[in-house]
Amino acid sequence: MAAALRKILTFGSMLLPYGVHELKRRLKNRHKFSADVASSLAENRQLAGLHAGRRCFILGNGPSVKGLDLSRLQGETVITVSNGYLHSDFDKFQSRYHCVPQITYVTMTSEDVIDWFKEMHSHLGGAELFLSSTEAELVRKHNLFSGRTVRYLVLGESFDERPSVEIVDISKPVPRVDSVPVMALMIAMYLGFKEIILLGVDHDRFLSTSYEYAFELKVQKGKDFTVNADGSPTMSRHDDFQQAARLWRQYRAIANIARANDIGIFNSTPGGALDEFERRPFQAWFEE
C-alpha cells in the first residue's frame, strides 16, 4: 500500500511546473541511449571501489560555504557540482570529480549549455566530469571537453521505485535526482568512499524564501527558471513543498543505502535544513 502511494505521489509531482518538463524528458528518453553512452556506462565499472576505505568531501554551492576556509580541502578528494568551479578558493584545492545532473531546457537553450560547458571546461583543471546521458549528443556534436575524461549516468526511474539498499551501480541506469548532491552521493558510494562529508548543501530555500549561491554566477546568471530575478521562488509554497518532499525521500534512500553498507555520510554544512545525516563541524575533520 505504501509503495503504491509513493508511486502516485511521484507521478503527481510530475504535474508541477518542473515536473511537466521532466516527464516529457523521461518519456522521450526512456530506455534510449547511444552507443557512446552504453560504452561509457561499461567503463564506469572500472570505478567500483576505486577509493575504497577513504574519505571525500562533496562541495555544494549554498551560501553557507562562504564562512568556511576551503583551502583546508587541499590534498583531500573533493567532488564539486554544477557551478562549483566558481568558488573563490577552487584553485587552492582543485576537485577530483565534478558532477552536473540532467539539464532542464526551459530558460536554458542548447546554446546556453554549450557556453556553460565551455566555461566549465576552462576552470575545472584536471577534474573528471560526470554528466547526464541527456547531454551526451550535445557534447559529441560540438566536441566539448576535449582532452577531459567525461563519464555519463543514465538518470532514469525514481528512488521511490527502488527498495534495494545495495549501492547504486552507476554502470547501469540509476534513479534520477532533484538536486545534484544526490547524484554526487551515488557516485561517491560506488567509488568506495567510507566517509562522505557534505559541505554547502543548505536546502533551506523553503525557510529563507530566497535562493542564493556562494559565488556570483557568470554564464548561467539568470538561467534558473525556478527563481525570480530577486532570488524568490517562482513556485508556490505547495509546489515547493512537494518538490522538497521528493528530494528528502531521495536523501532518505541514500541514508538507508549508506547505513546498510557501513558508509558514514556526515553533514558539515554550517546551518542549512538537511537533517538526514549526522552533523559534524567542518573543522573537526582537521583536528588530529
Side-chain angles (χ1 to χ4, degrees), residues 146-164:
S146 178
R148 184 182 305 281
T149 299
V150 180
R151 304 181 186 278
Y152 292 99
L153 266 61
V154 175
L155 297 155
E157 301 304 321
S158 166
F159 269 107
D160 293 338
E161 299 160 359
R162 187 185 188 275
S164 172

Side-chain angles (χ1 to χ4, degrees), residues 103 105 110-122 129 131 135-150 152:
I103 295 172
Y105 293 84
S110 294
E111 289 73 22
D112 291 329
V113 175
I114 292 168
D115 289 342
W116 182 33
F117 282 177
K118 287 180 178 178
E119 178 194 64
M120 191 180 299
H121 184 50
S122 70
L129 182 61
L131 298 176
E135 275 59 66
E137 177 59 21
L138 188 74
V139 171
R140 185 200 64 78
K141 182 177 179 181
H142 296 276
N143 192 30
L144 302 172
F145 302 113
S146 178
R148 184 182 305 281
T149 299
V150 180
Y152 292 99

Side-chain angles (χ1 to χ4, degrees), residues 168-233:
V168 177
D169 185 349
I170 66 172
S171 72
K172 300 176 181 178
V174 302
R176 69 183 180 277
V177 301
D178 275 62
S179 188
V180 63
V182 180
M183 177 182 179
L185 282 163
M186 287 192 288
I187 292 167
M189 288 194 288
Y190 189 76
L191 286 166
F193 289 106
K194 277 309 214 181
E195 287 184 329
I196 305 171
I197 301 103
L198 300 173
L199 303 172
V201 184
D202 296 15
H203 291 319
D204 57 0
R205 185 176 74 178
F206 62 91
L207 298 175
S208 65
T209 70
S210 65
Y211 190 88
E212 299 178 5
Y213 293 92
F215 38 72
E216 182 73 19
L217 293 179
K218 296 182 179 178
V219 171
Q220 258 207 319
K221 188 172 183 178
K223 297 298 180 180
D224 186 348
F225 72 95
T226 67
V227 297
N228 296 307
D230 62 355
S232 62

